Amino acid sequence: MAVDPKHPNFPAPAADTTIWRYSSLPKLLSLLVTKELFLPSLRNLRRDDPFEGTPTLQNRRLAAALSSDEAFAEQFFQTHYPDIQGKLLVNFKLSIISSLDGTNLSLADTCFVNCWHARRQESAALWKLYAETQAGVAIKSSVATLCEAIETDKDTILGAVRYCDFENTYTDMGNALTAVFTKRDSYEHEHEVRLLLWDMDVKGASSGKTISCNPSKMIEEIVVSPYSDDWMVATVAEVVRRMGFEFPVRKSRLMNPSLD
């Protein structure tokens, strides 16, 4: 299995955790036809969140202070890295500062992610955000199922996103991917789990990458928008059937006032 859900720094939730992917019907059909998952680049995702893949503001303040205040920098490195001296310290200082302010790696163009929502039940907020129209759908899966469905020889990580106050929180940048799995607490409602492909060989900007998957293994159920008419649900079910897939299709129960 090429997916690592147990990274020591960015572990995914338990294997049986239910995860959802909210999207449009055209994107679902593309997945079923191509049998590929699309992973947009972090630069692409910055259209919605300009802080994607960036260190926190607190980290960047520390980087600025280390760059501009020699007395503070000397005290900082003597306290935290007393064994590093002389010429080694000069290069080490530059490395630490570039790690803190995010300039050491171009994560925006080398990291590609596919985003899922980890919750047992559907999310009213995410239906509104991503799939409010009649043509909105949600794919229901699980951590273990998604990992088993990915068919690629490229190393990928499945991990839970951590949320924090970007204004006042310092995050340990010992691992460069910390910024990829850290988002502002304004997005905490997403309960996001990310499938990450880090491709250091990418040259220039790219909108995204695709990786092969088995939809029959990955999809436990397709749920059609709670705002859809019955004919839309029936149409989606028939299209899925004609494409040779057997997973169930139903309408969301989010707007159903009955107990059925």
Side-chain angles (χ1 to χ4, degrees), residues 5-6 13 19 35 63 66 68 86 91 96 98 123 138 146 149 161 163-164 173 199 202 213 224 228 236:
K6 297 181 179 179
I19 56 176
K35 297 181 174 60
L66 292 173
S68 61
N91 292 331
I96 291 294
S98 63
S123 167
L146 177 61
V161 169
Y163 301 91
C164 70
M173 298 304 294
D199 189 350
V202 171
C213 67
V224 184
S228 65
V236 174

Side-chain angles (χ1 to χ4, degrees), residues 9-242:
N9 300 102
F10 322 108
D16 60 352
T17 300
T18 297
I19 56 176
W20 302 80
R21 179 159 175 79
Y22 294 82
S23 70
S24 64
L25 180 57
K27 289 181 179 179
L28 169 66
L29 296 179
S30 175
L31 166 66
L32 298 182
V33 170
T34 64
K35 297 181 174 60
E36 292 179 334
L37 273 180
F38 179 68
L39 288 71
S41 67
L42 292 187
R43 187 172 301 281
N44 190 308
L45 294 182
R46 283 180 183 175
R47 297 173 183 174
D48 296 319
D49 178 5
F51 287 86
E52 276 284 2
T54 68
T56 66
L57 297 177
Q58 188 77 332
N59 282 45
R60 283 183 269 177
R61 287 193 196 98
L62 177 56
L66 292 173
S67 298
S68 61
D69 189 331
E70 291 186 10
F72 172 74
E74 182 178 358
Q75 181 182 20
F76 176 87
F77 285 100
Q78 284 181 352
T79 301
H80 296 280
Y81 307 100
D83 297 331
I84 301 178
Q85 303 289 333
K87 293 182 179 180
L88 288 177
L89 180 59
V90 175
N91 292 331
F92 184 72
K93 176 182 175 181
L94 293 175
S95 175
I96 291 294
I97 292 173
S98 63
S99 176
L100 286 166
D101 64 16
T103 59
N104 61 335
L105 289 170
S106 180
L107 295 178
D109 297 315
T110 59
C111 288
F112 305 87
V113 298
N114 187 262
C115 308
W116 295 74
H117 172 73
R119 269 295 180 268
R120 186 172 63 86
Q121 302 291 351
E122 300 169 42
S123 167
L126 293 189
W127 275 122
K128 287 283 187 180
L129 281 172
Y130 298 110
E132 184 177 7
T133 67
Q134 287 213 44
V137 295
I139 295 172
K140 183 180 180 181
S141 187
S142 71
V143 168
T145 301
L146 177 61
C147 290
E148 292 171 2
I150 301 300
E151 299 175 340
T152 178
D153 56 357
K154 298 177 181 178
D155 290 332
T156 55
I157 297 171
L158 187 69
V161 169
R162 301 166 185 169
Y163 301 91
C164 70
D165 175 3
F166 257 51
E167 188 72 29
N168 301 301
T169 302
Y170 169 80
T171 57
D172 181 6
M173 298 304 294
N175 189 306
L177 294 179
T178 296
V180 181
F181 286 94
T182 305
K183 294 185 70 172
R184 291 178 290 169
D185 50 14
S186 301
Y187 292 86
E188 195 165 5
H189 64 279
E190 294 180 347
H191 300 284
E192 186 178 336
V193 176
R194 292 190 151 178
L195 179 67
L196 166 70
L197 168 64
W198 191 14
D199 189 350
M200 295 292 290
D201 296 325
V202 171
K203 305 299 182 183
S206 172
S207 61
K209 294 275 188 179
T210 58
I211 56 176
S212 298
C213 67
N214 185 331
S216 293
K217 288 184 178 179
M218 183 178 71
I219 301 174
E220 297 179 1
E221 184 179 43
I222 291 177
V223 180
V224 184
S225 171
Y227 311 102
S228 65
D229 294 327
D230 290 343
W231 66 265
M232 175 61 74
V233 182
T235 299
V236 174
E238 180 62 16
V239 169
V240 168
R241 185 189 67 80
R242 292 191 182 192

